[in-house]
Amino acid sequence: MADTDTYDVIVIGAGPAGENAADYAIRGSARRAVLIEGQLVGGECSYWACMPSKALLGAGAALEAATGLPGSRTRVVDDQPEPGRLLAWRDSITHKRDDSSQVDWARGAGIDVVRGVGKLVGEREVEVDGRRLHATEAVVLATGSDASIPPIPGLVDAAPWTSRDATNLVEIPARIAVLGGGVVACEAATWLAELGSVVTMVVRGHSLLPSMEPFVGERVSSGLRERGVDIRFGTTFGSVARPEVDDTGYGRVHGGPAVVELADHAGNVTDRLEVDEILVAAGRRPRTVGVGLDALGIDPKAELDVDDHLNVAGHDWLYAVGDVNGRAPLTHMGKYQARVAGDVIAARAEGRSLDGERYLATADHAAVPQVVFTEPQVGSVGLTERGARDAGIDVVTSELDIEVAGSALARENYRGHAVLVIDRARNVLVGATFVGPDIAELVHSATVAVVGEVPVERLWHAVPSYPTISEIWLRLLENLRGKQS
Ligand SMILES: Cc1cc2nc3c(=O)[nH]c(=O)nc-3n(C[C@H](O)[C@H](O)[C@H](O)COP(=O)(O)OP(=O)(O)OC[C@H]3O[C@@H](n4cnc5c(N)ncnc54)[C@H](O)[C@@H]3O)c2cc1C
Ligand SMILES: NC(=O)c1ccc[n+]([C@@H]2O[C@H](COP(=O)([O-])OP(=O)(O)OC[C@H]3O[C@@H](n4cnc5c(N)ncnc54)[C@H](O)[C@@H]3O)[C@@H](O)[C@H]2O)c1
């Protein structure tokens, strides 16, 4: 009988990255893997992040599409989502936080599941609730990330919402202040406003989604303002006071009203807001502390040093995939890294060479795609114009409003914008950004072009179907030809 405490592969954290690493490391072999999970198998994405957030955003997007066309507009009886049914739909998508189907999937894939908090205690050694497990091949760290709460006076004591509350909301706060101008803040402000909250976004910078092309922030700000969201740029929370705090659980209002002092960069108080809830959407921190990295001489507070095999520097048996390594904190990128790490573990276990593209997570550097599900949607891949120039690439750009037959048919007043960033010397696409209704599915075409390093001359022969929003590709290439000739 197999020793239940010895596995070929031990994975700490059963989010999307951990699940895929375990699966790829043993698939088609007699190797044995175990997933150690302290909360829910499926991780942040399934229960607290991607899945519930997209469930909450779907109805608003569908209403936007229906009200955007004569003929369906007059048939829409209410242009706001119906809260009760929307929250029930969200609950059906998250299985009310019951992870049994994911546990069944793991067991069906030949992966053991151990519940508990795992900790590295030495080379290839992991402890979970006093039990010692040994890995003959590899240990994979896939512990994800936690929401960061900035050290603002009174903020922690006010028990603010994090994204877990916003995605799992059961009470809709009448007035809410959202701290942050990143992806979580923009998406959550969208569904909260659609559900009837009066939303004030407090953004310390001067644009939303500042890591993207500048027009992205402008378009998303307009979309949010059209939904009644008040955006205060150049402002942060100076302090928070909430006299009555109540531990009501995820997604319920955590007590009485809070007074938030807004402050400018010099610390001067510029305004005071009274709100019923606060959402902190100020970024995430990899879960590296408390997982035993110090037992290996690795500083748990420092960024993990991980190579393109997803190997942690200095430990050829230790891998880190997903949010925990900070390379590209998105579900699809964590799963991609996990596929690469799993393939590397399998190849090493079978004594095969690691030559070949499948063993290197190269997309993390130059081809990270992302869709932000605001209204309008934002989709991007690769470098922005500024990012490319900062990387020393001589670029030419092609930038246009999305005005093609496909977009005119999608909405009566379609408004969208797109840019291609081309490496002038190699004449290949290094980045693309699209903003507009229904652009999410355009991103993968750009990803293929970036990853494939398709010469712009060849892109001419990728003919977009008529009438689709993809026709913008042709307009952008025509515009580029005008610039290059
Ligand atoms: C509101 C929100 C919306 C998002 N929407 C999207 C989206 O639309 N698309 C997208 O691509 N990304 C999205 N993301 C990002 C996405 O959720 C993460 O990139 C993804 O969940 C990371 O997967 P992971 O497996 O690395 O970590 P996680 O999903 O965080 O899973 C890690 C798991 O490890 C467990 N764990 C941690 N420490 C231990 C330990 N010591 N022992 C045992 N178990 C442990 C945790 O309980 C958890 O289950 C969103 C994030 C947020 C916050
Ligand atoms: N659709 C998607 O792909 C999707 C959706 C949601 C989240 N995510 C991912 O989840 C991760 C977390 O998202 P996020 O929005 O929390 O992080 P973020 O880094 O995108 O944005 C953080 C925001 O908080 C602000 N901030 C940080 N510290 C602050 C402080 N002390 N005071 C005031 N403001 C402060 C920043 O200026 C920024 O506006 C990201 O990696 C994101 O890509 C992805």
Side-chain angles (χ1 to χ4, degrees):
M1 199 173 132
D3 175 357
T4 54
D5 293 338
T6 298
Y7 289 88
D8 298 280
V9 183
I10 298 174
V11 180
I12 309 178
E19 288 177 332
N20 277 271
D23 184 19
Y24 272 69
I26 65 165
R27 201 183 264 199
S29 77
R31 282 186 293 282
R32 299 175 63 240
V34 60
L35 275 170
I36 301 172
E37 174 52 53
Q39 296 184 19
L40 292 168
V41 174
E44 203 72 17
C45 178
S46 301
Y47 308 99
W48 308 104
C50 329
M51 296 300 277
S53 60
K54 270 73 254 182
L56 289 170
L57 288 162
L63 284 164
E64 179 91 8
T67 52
L69 286 174
S72 54
R73 181 182 302 133
T74 47
R75 293 296 189 190
V76 176
V77 291
D78 188 343
D79 65 359
Q80 300 295 304
E82 192 185 328
R85 291 207 171 142
L86 182 57
L87 301 192
W89 164 244
R90 182 269 324 272
D91 291 343
S92 74
I93 293 291
T94 57
H95 304 284
K96 295 190 174 170
R97 303 205 287 272
D98 171 355
D99 67 355
S100 48
S101 64
Q102 306 239 39
V103 174
D104 290 347
W105 166 83
R107 295 198 169 130
I111 301 164
D112 279 0
V113 175
V114 170
R115 303 267 186 191
V117 175
K119 194 172 175 179
L120 289 154
V121 287
E123 183 168 329
R124 295 183 166 86
E125 299 289 324
V126 175
E127 210 169 78
V128 50
D129 291 343
R131 179 177 165 197
R132 182 70 80 105
L133 302 179
H134 174 73
T136 52
E137 295 292 339
V139 177
V140 183
L141 203 57
T143 49
S145 61
D146 279 316
S148 305
I149 309 228
I152 291 167
L155 184 57
V156 170
D157 292 341
W161 276 14
T162 66
S163 53
R164 284 191 162 202
D165 298 284
T167 55
N168 280 270
L169 86 174
V170 282
E171 289 174 0
I172 299 165
R175 302 164 297 175
I176 187 162
V178 178
L179 181 69
V183 193
V184 170
C186 291
E187 288 187 347
T190 303
W191 78 70
L192 286 162
E194 286 170 350
L195 285 169
S197 284
V198 174
V199 182
T200 306
M201 291 179 78
V202 178
V203 183
R204 67 177 170 184
H206 292 280
S207 73
L208 299 179
L209 302 168
S211 60
M212 302 183 115
E213 297 284 4
F215 64 82
V216 168
E218 290 161 24
R219 302 252 170 174
V220 172
S221 303
S222 302
L224 285 164
R225 287 194 174 115
E226 281 165 20
R227 278 162 185 73
V229 176
D230 179 8
I231 310 174
R232 310 285 183 94
F233 287 115
T235 306
T236 184
F237 289 0
S239 67
V240 176
R242 189 177 207 176
E244 287 168 38
V245 174
D246 199 357
D247 182 9
T248 49
Y250 284 117
R252 295 191 180 278
V253 172
H254 291 169
V259 174
V260 179
E261 271 188 349
L262 303 187
D264 63 17
H265 288 287
N268 302 312
V269 174
T270 53
D271 202 356
R272 277 184 184 78
L273 295 179
E274 190 184 82
V275 291
D276 301 292
E277 196 46 85
I278 294 162
L279 168 61
V280 178
R284 299 186 67 82
R285 204 183 36 235
R287 275 194 204 110
T288 47
V289 173
V291 296
L293 287 166
D294 30 359
L296 307 174
I298 300 171
D299 177 359
K301 293 197 171 143
E303 212 172 280
L304 272 177
D305 183 1
V306 172
D307 68 15
D308 282 352
H309 295 314
L310 288 315
N311 244 158
V312 176
H315 305 274
D316 63 2
W317 54 273
L318 181 63
Y319 299 76
V321 296
D323 278 18
V324 73
N325 68 29
R327 283 166 69 107
L330 291 162
T331 292
H332 45 276
M333 297 312 291
K335 288 163 77 171
Y336 159 75
Q337 293 165 7
R339 292 192 291 272
V340 172
D343 277 349
V344 169
I345 293 167
R348 284 183 169 152
E350 292 162 20
R352 289 186 278 114
S353 135
L354 293 183
D355 286 346
E357 295 216 15
R358 67 190 267 201
Y359 302 114
L360 296 168
T362 50
D364 287 358
H365 305 298
V368 175
Q370 179 166 24
V371 174
V372 184
F373 294 85
T374 40
E375 291 287 337
Q377 291 176 341
V378 181
S380 68
V381 62
L383 299 171
T384 58
E385 177 183 0
R386 194 168 131 205
R389 293 194 196 284
D390 288 350
I393 303 173
D394 177 21
V395 292
V396 56
T397 61
S398 177
E399 181 168 345
L400 290 173
D401 282 341
I402 301 178
E403 286 175 352
V404 290
S407 61
L409 284 164
R411 298 281 196 285
E412 195 174 20
N413 292 305
Y414 189 100
R415 283 176 291 157
H417 199 72
V419 66
L420 300 182
V421 182
I422 314 284
D423 177 337
R424 204 189 292 267
R426 294 189 300 138
N427 208 24
V428 296
L429 191 66
V430 291
T433 301
F434 308 93
V435 179
D438 304 333
I439 56 76
E441 301 295 342
L442 279 185
V443 176
H444 196 61
S445 52
T447 305
V448 171
V450 170
V451 172
E453 300 181 41
V454 182
V456 168
E457 290 85 354
R458 284 304 302 159
L459 283 180
W460 267 103
H461 302 280
V463 184
S465 300
Y466 182 86
T468 62
I469 298 171
S470 295
E471 290 166 81
I472 188 62
W473 276 101
L474 176 57
R475 297 282 168 269
L476 289 161
L477 292 173
E478 284 171 343
N479 182 46
L480 188 67
R481 181 178 268 192
K483 284 184 165 191
Q484 287 180 322
S485 57

